[in-house]
Amino acid sequence: MKHYLSINDIDSLPNWVEEAKSLKQNPRKDSALGKDKTIGLLFFNNSLRTRLSTQKAAMNLGMDTIVMNFGSEGWALEYEDGTVMDQGKSEHIKEAAQVVSQYCDIIAIRAFAGLTDKEKDEAEVVLNGFKKYASVPIVNMESSVGHPLQGLADAITLAEQNTKPKPKVVLSWAPHPRALPHAVANSFTEMMQLQDADFVITHPKGYELNPEITKNTTIEYDQNKAFENADFIYVKNWSSYNEYGKVLQQDPNWTITKEKIGDAKFMHCLPVRRNVVVADEVLDSNQSLVIEQANNRTYAAQTVLKKILEGLK
């Protein structure tokens, strides 16, 4: 595998999940694989789980890690070809990507959507800029439209927790005071489309995700109806896609409560705003899988890096 940019780069989700579960039992068993290899983690946005879990995954594989926060440390990058760089941008992606490629064997990038220009966000200018000009594999640590490391971690968590041949899994919108990207919801949806499950998305009208991603997935605008007989309820806020980046409403009736979810397991990628997105009584209960999900971020990243390293031999 050359790059890991989206869930669609997974050739067999069941096989990847089983490999991740195996790595979890003995995380250091492939520690020689990354010997004398370096991964560069480039952050254009903040991170906690993604940064630490990807570093830990690289360490488990024997890799060295370099971390750079472009927001406070790097030069502002220009991505357009032919630009007269007489304004605020100091360095072009053409040079930056080639230079970083000389220092690193793998480059991992985190760059969120701006949520003001749909066309620009969907062009993935940062991720695709590095893919175009770097000479080493690129890993997506969350981009404008996808978070495939989180999606893989969620698949691992579902596999570990599921006890039914065909579980019912619901992705639910919940209120949030800020406009948030679609990346996590997109990758979870793409991952669930590879599963044998009864998958439903629920949200208020106006919060439809990109139809090219949701495809034929069932959409239910009544949250309580969507939750009926659910085994897993994955909760995430996102802003409007059609009225791009806008917060159309912050309806507190969509907050997740114990009464709503019944016996279903609760999932969220974190960070989560308590008593806005979800009530304390849910997060602090034994139905919550958020800590397990966060732990599986390491083994999702390690599975991806292992496959890339095997391709570098």
Side-chain angles (χ1 to χ4, degrees), residues 169-232:
V169 182
V170 181
L171 170 63
S172 177
W173 179 94
H176 195 284
R178 296 176 53 236
L180 296 186
H182 309 94
V184 171
N186 286 344
S187 287
F188 187 77
T189 297
E190 290 175 326
M191 181 273 292
M192 285 307 306
Q193 289 167 348
L194 301 175
Q195 302 271 17
D196 185 14
D198 178 9
F199 179 50
V200 178
I201 302 175
T202 185
H203 54 71
K205 290 185 178 180
Y207 280 102
E208 292 79 8
L209 295 165
N210 183 348
E212 292 184 7
I213 290 175
T214 56
K215 298 176 182 176
N216 296 320
T217 298
T218 300
I219 310 296
E220 173 55 64
Y221 297 111
D222 183 331
Q223 188 188 50
N224 290 324
K225 184 177 179 181
F227 285 0
E228 290 177 1
N229 302 313
D231 298 296
F232 299 90

Side-chain angles (χ1 to χ4, degrees), residues 268-302:
H268 191 284
C269 61
L270 300 182
V272 65
R273 297 202 180 213
R274 284 174 172 262
N275 303 307
V276 176
V277 173
V278 57
D280 284 341
E281 62 181 356
V282 175
L283 267 178
D284 296 331
S285 74
N286 60 10
Q287 291 173 247
S288 175
L289 300 178
V290 298
I291 304 304
E292 288 87 340
Q293 288 174 261
N295 186 41
N296 283 333
R297 289 296 309 278
T298 295
Y299 307 103
Q302 191 167 336

Side-chain angles (χ1 to χ4, degrees), residues 44-47 110-115 121 126 141-145 181:
F44 292 80
N45 295 95
N46 294 341
S47 177
R110 185 174 178 89
F112 292 173
L115 292 179
D121 284 346
V126 180
M141 296 193 297
E142 188 173 357
S143 64
S144 296
V145 300

Side-chain angles (χ1 to χ4, degrees), residues 100 140 152 180 237 268 280:
V100 177
N140 181 352
L152 179 55
L180 296 186
N237 174 270
H268 191 284
D280 284 341

